[in-house]
Amino acid sequence: MDTGGRGGLRPRKGKREGVTARKGNTEEVSATPAAATSSTCQYRCIECNQEAKELYRDYNHGVLKITICKSCQKPVDKYIEYDPVIILINAVLCKAQAYRHILFNTKINMHGKLCIFCLLCEAYLRWWQLQDSSQNTDPDDFIRYAKEWDFYRMFAIASLEQAAFLIGIFTFLWIERSITTKKKPNFVLLLKALLLSSYGKLLLIPAVIWEHEYTLLCLRFIKVFVLTSNFQAIRVTLNSTRKLSLCAILCGLLMESTMVYFFRRMEWDLGSDCAIYKAQDF
């Protein structure tokens, strides 16, 4: 999207879209598509989190003008004219504005795929640690099949621990909102936000591939980064305080730790694999 004169934006060729909102004598004005087809507020201001009916106005001759928020008098979403790389960098820096843009003002339907891929990365890390600790070089087919099933087992364990983490967060928020008689949170949107904010787990694979003496430290930093992203996702989605978001994360970690303890008590040979993984405080 290119600049097209003062106070307006000119989109790239082929990007003009929208339905007519109103007509004047000399020019036609088009609103953001979703806003024109529905009377409800579909978007959020990335600065003050107030609802907005549209992100921009499409004037004649391809000139776009960003909508100004009535509450804070700032652009509703300045990121609509930013390059995706810039948005990603701001998201990595855990800026609330970037999170609001991604969660409220864009349509991303890759939550499930991203979750599966992150779980595969986590399962691979645990499986790699298990193979590294066993040092078994037997080429027998039975041994190879056993190693393959070890990977599936690590994937199942990682999935259950992730589910326990999410259940802990949802349970805390549900109880907290019930006590304070506040409006129940949108758990579907919150789930999508938590799954998207777990993208930091993708860094596990490079940390394993480029193994060095600081790998353990890198894994700890990745864990802290993922939890920080989850914290920001809760805070932005629910428009809550930092204290509430932190308590929700702690409850999720408590539930996840309980699940790990349960696995160890079940003696699923976790002393040689998952226990190693958790002993590294990841």
Side-chain angles (χ1 to χ4, degrees):
M1 191 176 293
D2 304 322
T3 303
R6 184 176 180 182
L9 301 171
R10 188 179 301 277
R12 298 189 183 98
K13 185 177 181 181
K15 293 295 183 180
R16 286 191 59 191
E17 57 181 358
V19 295
T20 302
R22 58 185 176 85
K23 289 186 177 181
N25 295 328
T26 59
E27 62 179 5
E28 177 183 339
V29 181
S30 298
T32 308
T37 58
S38 175
S39 59
T40 58
C41 297
Q42 300 289 333
Y43 306 101
R44 296 284 185 88
C45 174
I46 65 172
E47 301 293 342
C48 63
N49 202 45
Q50 290 296 318
E51 294 182 343
K53 293 184 178 180
E54 58 186 11
L55 300 179
Y56 60 86
R57 286 264 172 180
D58 186 357
Y59 291 86
N60 202 11
H61 307 300
V63 177
L64 303 182
K65 184 176 182 180
I66 297 179
T67 304
I68 301 299
C69 177
K70 297 179 181 180
S71 177
C72 63
Q73 301 302 316
K74 295 181 180 179
V76 172
D77 192 347
K78 62 182 180 181
Y79 286 113
I80 61 175
E81 58 177 332
Y82 281 30
D83 190 88
V85 177
I86 303 299
I87 299 175
L88 178 61
I89 292 175
N90 282 267
V92 171
L93 295 175
C94 292
K95 289 189 176 182
Q97 294 88 343
Y99 272 71
R100 291 191 184 103
H101 167 78
I102 295 173
L103 296 176
F104 297 121
N105 299 338
T106 59
K107 294 181 180 180
I108 299 179
N109 299 316
M110 55 178 294
H111 313 86
K113 295 179 181 179
L114 181 61
C115 177
I116 296 298
F117 196 74
C118 289
L119 289 175
L120 287 173
C121 293
E122 194 168 351
Y124 176 77
L125 173 63
R126 300 182 181 204
W127 179 81
W128 170 77
Q129 290 173 337
L130 174 61
Q131 304 309 314
D132 188 60
S133 62
S134 63
Q135 299 295 332
N136 194 331
T137 58
D138 195 334
D140 189 80
D141 289 341
F142 177 78
I143 300 299
R144 288 198 294 268
Y145 289 141
K147 291 182 177 180
E148 180 179 350
W149 280 107
D150 280 338
F151 177 80
Y152 298 146
R153 185 162 56 94
M154 294 299 101
F155 180 82
I157 292 172
S159 301
L160 291 174
E161 292 179 6
Q162 178 70 20
F165 177 74
L166 296 174
I167 290 174
I169 292 177
F170 293 153
T171 302
F172 170 80
L173 292 174
W174 183 80
I175 295 175
E176 188 273 338
R177 293 302 168 103
S178 298
I179 294 176
T180 57
T181 65
K182 293 181 179 179
K183 182 181 178 181
K184 294 297 186 296
N186 187 343
F187 285 122
V188 175
L189 179 61
L190 180 59
L191 176 61
K192 292 180 179 180
L194 288 171
L195 294 180
L196 281 178
S197 61
S198 298
Y199 67 92
K201 292 182 180 180
L202 300 178
L203 298 174
L204 292 174
I205 298 302
V208 172
I209 294 177
W210 292 294
E211 181 185 3
H212 50 75
E213 57 185 84
Y214 299 110
T215 298
L216 177 59
L217 182 61
C218 291
L219 296 180
R220 289 176 176 173
F221 274 127
I222 293 173
K223 179 64 174 180
V224 172
F225 174 72
V226 172
L227 291 177
T228 303
S229 299
N230 293 153
F231 166 85
Q232 191 71 306
I234 296 174
R235 180 168 169 260
V236 168
T237 304
L238 303 181
N239 196 28
S240 61
T241 62
R242 291 183 174 89
K243 181 179 179 180
L244 178 64
S245 301
L246 179 60
C247 290
I249 292 295
L250 292 178
C251 286
L253 288 176
L254 179 62
M255 186 67 72
E256 182 181 1
S257 300
T258 303
M259 183 67 70
V260 174
Y261 177 76
F262 171 76
F263 286 150
R264 292 181 182 178
R265 294 289 293 179
M266 292 294 291
E267 297 181 354
W268 289 354
D269 289 333
L270 298 182
S272 61
D273 40 71
C274 189
I276 295 175
Y277 181 78
K278 288 297 178 183
Q280 293 181 348
D281 292 332
F282 179 72

